[in-house]
Amino acid sequence: MSGAAQRILLQWQRGNFALDVDLHLPAQGIAVLYGPSGCGKTSLLRCVAGLERARNALVQLGGTTWQDDAQGVFVPVHQRALGYVFQEASLFAHLSVRENILFGAAHWRGAALPTSVEEVIALLGIGRLLDRGVSGLSGGERQRVAIARALASEPQVLLLDEPLSALDGARRQELLPWLERLRDALHIPMLYVTHAADEVARLADTLVVMEAGRVRACGPVAEVLAQVDAPVVLGEDAGALLLGQVQQCDTRWHLAAVQCAGATLWLRDTGLALGQRVRVRVLARDVSLSLAPLQDSSIQNAMPCMVRAIAPGAHPSQALVQLQLERGGQGADGALLLARVTCRAVDALGLVPGRAVWAHIKSVGLVG
């Protein structure tokens, strides 16, 4: 696949709703389209697929131009090298799992599966299901088969429209690790629609926040979640997402040390392996600030930081402080944290951009 960046520029209207977006996305990884129901996420995906005809559009994905109204180019949906996974698996009931997957690889001749599809089947853990009918599959198994069928066509891009929304909580948690494996193993761009906070935190490489048909924010997921001018709330509160690696497991206290941007965070060990890459969520309300390290405290996660920005909080008494870790290499400027504190505390500590502080993290959540 070409290493060219993806470009989605389009306008689309139905009734009183108008979609107007201009996106530049990386050539690889999962770009999650996130926002409330009715904000235009699915409409955007359908325009990219060619199921809806956008206007004033330029759609370039997988190194190919699918629509360029300035040049009179519009590639019909059946000629676009894409895989599409819907909310419902929509498998063919009269076909076996193997036959459903082979239907996706219609260009392939013969009863054997091509090597690339065998690899996808292994990644999704559905090899034992190949000779079964689809009627007896669980919801999570059906969606894994649907994803394999979409990938069997060897698409240049994979579009996923809330693929977990029809599943119950247990089946959602069952399928998320398989999607993580696909993200880490495949080298094609994915556009993933969701309004679920845990799916954003676990899967997104790039986060596109949508609101009323417009893009409110777009960028690497850790940067977007740490912004203060228009905070993105996932679930309970705004907060930062840190990417780290397990460096140590303390069997006595059942804790694991995770290296995040040069600093160490201790969190509950849930069976983590040394060297394992993890994502850590730190809510703004769980971060307190001081001008010096605290002594004799039960809070064991403390990081030296620099105040980068301060913005008003949701209530007049509050402020949201953006912090930059002093050490580490998660980007040239290091990783970012958020702290929700009172305006009185901001004044008492003399907090201004550039001020050195200590961030004391009361609670850390392992994503996944």
Side-chain angles (χ1 to χ4, degrees):
M1 191 206 79
S2 169
Q6 319 301 307
R7 180 74 189 280
I8 303 173
L9 168 68
L10 56 84
Q11 297 174 339
W12 177 84
Q13 185 157 355
R14 175 164 293 173
N16 293 325
F17 179 80
L19 184 67
D20 189 349
V21 302
D22 186 357
L23 287 172
H24 294 261
L25 301 173
Q28 294 181 7
I30 298 182
V32 171
L33 307 179
Y34 175 72
S37 296
C39 70
K41 305 184 299 294
T42 294
S43 297
L44 174 56
L45 211 66
R46 290 177 61 83
C47 288
V48 169
L51 295 170
E52 301 285 351
R53 182 69 181 261
R55 57 188 175 84
N56 301 324
L58 176 62
V59 179
Q60 297 174 322
L61 288 103
T64 303
T65 298
W66 288 345
Q67 185 172 351
D68 185 348
D69 287 343
Q71 301 297 323
V73 174
F74 181 82
V75 178
V77 61
H78 66 277
Q79 293 180 4
R80 301 189 183 196
L82 61 86
Y84 204 123
V85 180
F86 297 89
Q87 294 180 23
E88 298 287 347
S90 302
L91 302 176
F92 296 108
H94 65 290
L95 300 180
S96 68
V97 168
R98 182 190 302 273
E99 291 166 336
N100 267 280
I101 295 173
L102 279 170
F103 187 89
H107 63 288
W108 189 262
R109 296 294 178 260
L113 293 164
T115 302
S116 59
V117 179
E118 292 281 11
E119 293 171 353
V120 168
I121 288 170
L123 281 171
L124 290 168
I126 55 176
R128 61 184 177 81
L129 306 176
L130 291 177
D131 296 321
R132 289 177 53 179
V134 299
S135 59
L137 301 181
S138 70
E141 290 170 337
R142 291 175 65 87
Q143 280 298 65
R144 279 189 276 161
V145 173
I147 293 169
R149 182 178 64 182
L151 289 169
S153 65
E154 299 181 335
Q156 292 178 321
V157 62
L158 182 63
L159 310 180
L160 302 103
D161 187 6
E162 299 197 62
L164 308 187
S165 64
L167 305 180
D168 60 32
R171 299 292 79 76
R172 287 181 71 255
Q173 295 307 311
E174 168 192 302
L175 191 52
L176 274 168
W178 299 108
L179 291 172
E180 288 174 321
R181 293 184 68 181
L182 287 180
R183 177 199 63 204
D184 296 338
L186 298 183
H187 300 291
I188 64 170
M190 304 184 204
L191 292 180
Y192 188 105
V193 167
T194 187
H195 60 266
D198 59 339
E199 294 173 36
V200 173
R202 290 186 65 165
L203 299 175
D205 296 303
T206 301
L207 180 56
V208 180
V209 181
M210 296 190 63
E211 187 176 280
R214 304 292 191 273
V215 174
R216 197 182 103 192
C218 177
V221 60
E223 292 182 12
V224 172
L225 291 181
Q227 66 185 20
V228 292
D229 51 346
V232 177
V233 176
L234 291 185
E236 303 172 65
D237 193 7
L241 186 69
L242 303 179
L243 311 182
Q245 189 172 27
V246 178
Q247 297 292 326
Q248 180 184 346
C249 294
D250 188 328
T251 55
R252 179 185 180 188
W253 302 112
H254 307 285
L255 297 172
V258 175
Q259 195 80 0
C260 295
T264 299
L265 281 174
W266 287 95
L267 48 87
R268 184 176 62 177
D269 186 1
T270 57
L272 300 171
L274 287 177
Q276 181 178 341
R277 295 190 178 279
V278 295
R279 294 184 172 204
V280 176
R281 184 97 166 106
V282 181
L283 297 183
R285 70 185 185 196
D286 291 327
V287 179
S288 63
L289 302 178
S290 67
L291 299 182
L294 298 180
Q295 302 296 323
D296 302 320
S297 170
S298 64
I299 300 176
Q300 302 203 340
N301 287 319
M303 296 180 171
C305 300
M306 181 187 71
V307 175
R308 181 166 167 174
I310 303 174
H315 187 272
S317 67
Q318 294 182 331
L320 193 61
V321 182
Q322 185 187 63
L323 305 162
Q324 180 180 304
L325 297 186
E326 283 191 0
R327 301 188 300 269
Q330 192 175 39
D333 295 327
L336 300 175
L337 285 176
L338 293 178
R340 190 179 300 282
V341 299
T342 65
C343 294
R344 182 182 181 185
V346 170
D347 181 70
L349 296 175
L351 299 184
V352 293
R355 184 71 188 265
V357 296
W358 280 81
H360 301 273
I361 302 172
K362 292 172 278 187
S363 179
V364 180
L366 184 68
V367 175

